[in-house]
Amino acid sequence: MSLAFDEFGRPFIILREQERKSRVKGIEAVKASIMAAKTVARTLRSSLGPKGMDKMLQSPDGDVTITNDGATILEMMEVENQIGKLMVELSKSQDHEIGDGTTGVVVLAGALLEHAEALLDMGMHPLRIAEGYEMACKVATENLDKIKTRFDFSKENIEPLVKTCMTTLSSKVVGRLKRPMAEICVKAVLAVADLERRDVNLDLIKVEGKVGGKMEDTRLVEGIVIDKEFSHPQMPKELNDVKVAILTCPFEPPKPKTKHKVDIDTVEKFEALRDAEKAYFTDMVQRCKDSGAELVICQWGFDDEANHLLMHKNLPAVRWVGGVEIELLAMATGARIVPRFQELTADKLGMAGSVKEVGFGTTKDKMLVIEGCPNLKAVTIFVRGGNRMVLDEIKRSLHDAICVARNLVRDNAIVYGGGAAEISCALAVEEAADKVTGVEHYAMRTFADALQAVPLALAENSGLPPIESLTAVKKRQLEEKNPYLGIDCNDTGTNDMREQNVFETVIGKKQQLFLATQVCKMILKIDDVIKPSEYD
């Protein structure tokens, strides 16, 4: 856009490429937005619940990903529509804040918009619908506080946490191993949790994986696994009770930073240079030995000569260890990261109970497992899987379960899953809507209908008759005043989610309601879409 003046000095505005813009205004714009959001939500709808289907996504490079994690599906889908991108952001924000429930939040937002369409056809103003949704969301979150249950747990009694993590894992690829996997995640979280401050630093939990082996081989390493091996093949493969030096200085001679070159024209000069380098290396290795170090972990590489000397002096070493891993190792072993050999002293060394080099299968893949560290503040979940796609999906599943355990440490309130919480909130919203006069009454009732989209999708994905299943459970919830009744997805014969041990965190559910309502409000307020028209 630019400002110009005519010959009489009167200003006028030139809108560039105006003829190339196509505009959608008013109610048409709102409906177009709703259509786009519905399309994205429908893609994810079939991935909800323990019997949810997976999606296969192929990137432009040809990489294939198989997953049913909502945030991953939306992130990897190429969504061109702006409203579709809003839904992608919605799942991302749920993932960043809570870590679980990314599919549910998009399905709920899609249902809210789909039901709003009927109200728009009745002639209701979009902002009045948005206000009714806000009121209904407030009633629903208050209802969650009424029906929530608190779980008391401790480092000795981890069962409540395990049961909640099992609910998260039941819809994933690791569903058949949900109990051992949930236990691994809970132990990992409690190992790094500060229970007094009710805080968990997830950076201290590392998830490493190697292709090969089966899912059952996944284990929790109470220490750190690094994808490296000892720098020399003749160094010992197993060390016990070692003092560890962590260096960020290379075992290499200093390179003169000048623009001149060194001319060596006699054998004597070459010998002198070689002796100077050797003395430099010998001094480096001797300083490490003098400090009492029995294992050297270095951020940089070694010269071959240094590697040879280290082996001869019986000083095992590991090279090219990355920045994040070095920090984790320093935390776990209690070592100080040393930037210069001159500063290496005995008090800057750390301790490790055992350092083992582990090989895999018939390949030359090797990894170092460092366990028995005094300050156990870093743990690693070591995952095995049949191929790379399975391995990546297991990692995503475990990330969700770890986040759920973290949320329970922060706030140990839970509600019951299987759509039980949504049905209970829908009933509470319907009851509150009857006391509201004005057009917001319709919006609140619509919100209650949209909440039932989650249990409907669960029933549908489980192969049950959706409307019959939902109506039966809703009827029983009304008659028995029992907010724990949900959809029996696994066909166990009971709708009581307490008996089925299906739990979800309250903060996760509340976040779903807040985010879905906010996005709907934002989309309903759009009444004019201006974009460059595409050329055919």
Side-chain angles (χ1 to χ4, degrees):
M1 198 166 80
S2 57
L3 191 66
F5 297 90
D6 62 10
E7 64 268 30
F8 301 110
R10 290 176 303 204
F12 62 91
I13 291 169
I14 299 170
L15 287 173
R16 288 201 197 98
E17 300 171 352
Q18 186 61 22
E19 78 288 346
R20 286 172 53 196
K21 296 200 180 276
S22 61
R23 292 179 71 164
V24 187
K25 288 187 178 181
I27 209 78
E28 288 304 311
V30 181
K31 286 201 169 180
S33 303
I34 289 174
M35 188 65 218
K38 268 167 37 180
T39 309
V40 174
R42 276 179 189 156
T43 309
L44 289 194
R45 193 182 160 97
S46 60
S47 294
L48 197 65
K51 298 277 199 300
M53 306 300 271
D54 288 5
K55 305 275 180 273
M56 182 188 267
L57 300 132
Q58 188 173 1
S59 73
D61 309 337
D63 289 341
V64 175
T65 305
I66 299 173
T67 180
N68 75 349
D69 180 58
T72 310
I73 294 168
L74 288 181
E75 202 174 323
M76 299 194 74
M77 270 167 61
E78 285 193 17
V79 182
E80 292 295 326
N81 187 287
Q82 292 77 10
I83 301 298
K85 285 177 182 168
L86 274 180
M87 301 300 266
V88 175
E89 291 298 321
L90 167 69
S91 74
K92 271 190 193 168
S93 54
Q94 175 80 11
D95 198 32
H96 285 293
E97 186 67 22
I98 303 296
D100 186 36
T102 49
T103 311
V105 72
V106 176
V107 170
L108 181 57
L112 286 169
L113 287 166
E114 196 170 336
H115 285 74
E117 208 166 1
L119 296 179
L120 291 170
D121 290 339
M122 285 165 55
M124 199 166 159
H125 193 279
L127 273 184
R128 301 300 292 272
I129 300 173
E131 281 163 18
Y133 276 4
E134 289 271 302
M135 290 160 70
C137 179
K138 195 176 175 198
V139 172
T141 48
E142 283 168 4
N143 182 63
L144 285 176
D145 285 328
K146 285 179 195 162
I147 64 169
K148 70 183 179 187
T149 311
R150 288 213 172 269
F151 263 171
D152 291 321
F153 64 89
S154 62
K155 290 207 172 186
E156 291 72 43
N157 176 27
I158 62 169
E159 193 59 26
L161 296 179
V162 171
K163 282 179 177 172
T164 316
C165 287
M166 279 164 66
T167 304
T168 304
L169 293 173
S170 60
S171 63
K172 308 288 184 192
V173 72
V174 293
R176 64 188 176 84
L177 296 172
K178 58 185 177 182
R179 174 141 204 119
M181 291 290 188
E183 284 175 3
I184 285 172
C185 294
V186 169
K187 284 174 184 168
V189 167
L190 288 180
V192 302
D194 184 340
L195 292 179
E196 283 177 25
R197 282 176 49 227
R198 301 185 82 82
D199 187 37
V200 180
N201 181 0
L202 290 184
D203 292 340
L204 297 175
I205 301 173
K206 206 159 153 267
V207 183
E208 275 284 341
K210 265 276 183 258
V211 172
K214 49 190 190 289
M215 274 194 251
E216 286 87 341
D217 297 337
T218 299
R219 68 187 187 100
L220 178 68
V221 176
E222 296 197 341
I224 295 162
V225 176
I226 49 177
D227 200 355
K228 300 283 175 238
E229 54 187 296
F230 286 115
S231 60
H232 199 291
Q234 290 175 354
M235 286 176 179
K237 302 296 179 212
E238 190 170 337
L239 304 167
N240 292 316
D241 296 324
V242 283
K243 290 182 179 173
V244 184
I246 297 178
L247 305 174
T248 55
C249 42
F251 274 96
E252 287 178 355
K255 292 178 175 59
K257 291 182 173 61
T258 63
K259 290 177 183 173
H260 310 294
K261 61 177 193 236
V262 180
D263 276 334
I264 298 174
D265 48 13
T266 63
V267 176
E268 287 77 18
K269 284 182 184 175
F270 180 74
E271 289 288 340
L273 182 67
R274 198 166 142 260
D275 288 344
E277 272 196 12
K278 192 172 179 183
Y280 192 81
F281 282 137
T282 312
D283 179 51
M284 281 179 186
V285 176
Q286 199 53 48
R287 279 180 190 274
C288 295
K289 289 292 279 183
D290 292 347
S291 69
E294 294 160 311
L295 170 67
V296 175
I297 292 171
C298 184
Q299 188 177 6
W300 304 106
F302 302 160
D303 206 289
D304 285 347
E305 184 132 8
N307 207 3
H308 180 72
L309 262 170
L310 284 163
M311 203 274 292
H312 267 282
K313 294 270 186 181
N314 293 326
L315 187 57
V318 186
R319 56 184 161 187
W320 298 120
V321 180
V324 179
E325 289 171 338
I326 271 207
E327 286 174 18
L328 282 173
L329 280 166
M331 284 179 198
T333 58
R336 297 276 295 280
I337 296 173
V338 180
R340 284 186 212 83
F341 287 101
Q342 291 81 350
E343 294 176 20
L344 186 59
T345 52
D347 58 325
K348 290 180 181 171
L349 302 178
M351 277 296 294
S354 83
V355 180
K356 272 186 262 181
E357 190 179 277
V358 185
F360 297 98
T362 54
T363 63
K364 290 181 182 174
D365 273 356
K366 292 188 175 65
M367 289 181 109
L368 282 179
V369 179
I370 299 161
E371 290 181 294
C373 305
N375 313 348
L376 181 59
K377 270 290 172 199
V379 293
T380 306
I381 297 174
F382 185 53
V383 182
R384 302 303 305 276
N387 59 30
R388 190 187 55 77
M389 284 173 275
V390 170
L391 202 63
D392 290 346
E393 181 62 357
I394 296 171
K395 284 185 184 178
R396 282 189 286 270
S397 308
L398 293 180
H399 169 263
D400 282 9
I402 288 167
C403 288
V404 166
R406 189 269 314 257
N407 292 338
L408 280 171
V409 170
R410 281 163 58 187
D411 178 4
N412 62 347
I414 57 108
V415 286
Y416 289 83
E422 282 87 356
I423 297 169
S424 173
C425 288
L427 290 170
V429 171
E430 280 175 12
E431 197 180 315
D434 292 338
K435 297 169 189 163
V436 173
T437 51
V439 288
E440 282 84 0
H441 166 87
Y442 292 104
M444 288 180 78
R445 278 204 163 278
T446 304
F447 189 95
D449 292 341
L451 277 174
Q452 294 169 24
V454 174
L456 266 175
L458 287 173
E460 202 175 312
N461 295 344
S462 306
L464 302 169
I467 296 169
E468 289 169 37
S469 307
L470 174 65
T471 316
V473 173
K474 195 174 174 186
K475 178 172 176 279
R476 281 187 60 193
Q477 273 216 25
L478 260 173
E479 288 171 354
E480 299 171 29
K481 296 276 183 283
N482 181 355
Y484 310 134
L485 297 172
I487 304 290
D488 180 15
C489 296
N490 291 324
D491 206 17
T492 54
T494 174
N495 289 93
D496 195 324
M497 293 296 134
R498 285 175 299 182
E499 289 176 33
Q500 285 205 30
N501 290 327
V502 179
F503 311 118
E504 293 186 60
T505 55
V506 169
I507 48 176
K509 267 287 169 256
K510 280 187 178 175
Q511 189 78 0
Q512 276 188 352
L513 289 169
F514 283 138
L515 291 178
T517 310
Q518 279 172 16
V519 165
C520 289
K521 194 173 178 184
M522 180 189 275
I523 291 171
L524 287 169
K525 284 178 82 172
I526 299 167
D527 80 327
D528 200 344
V529 179
I530 308 168
K531 60 178 181 181
S533 61
E534 288 105 14
Y535 292 118
D536 291 328

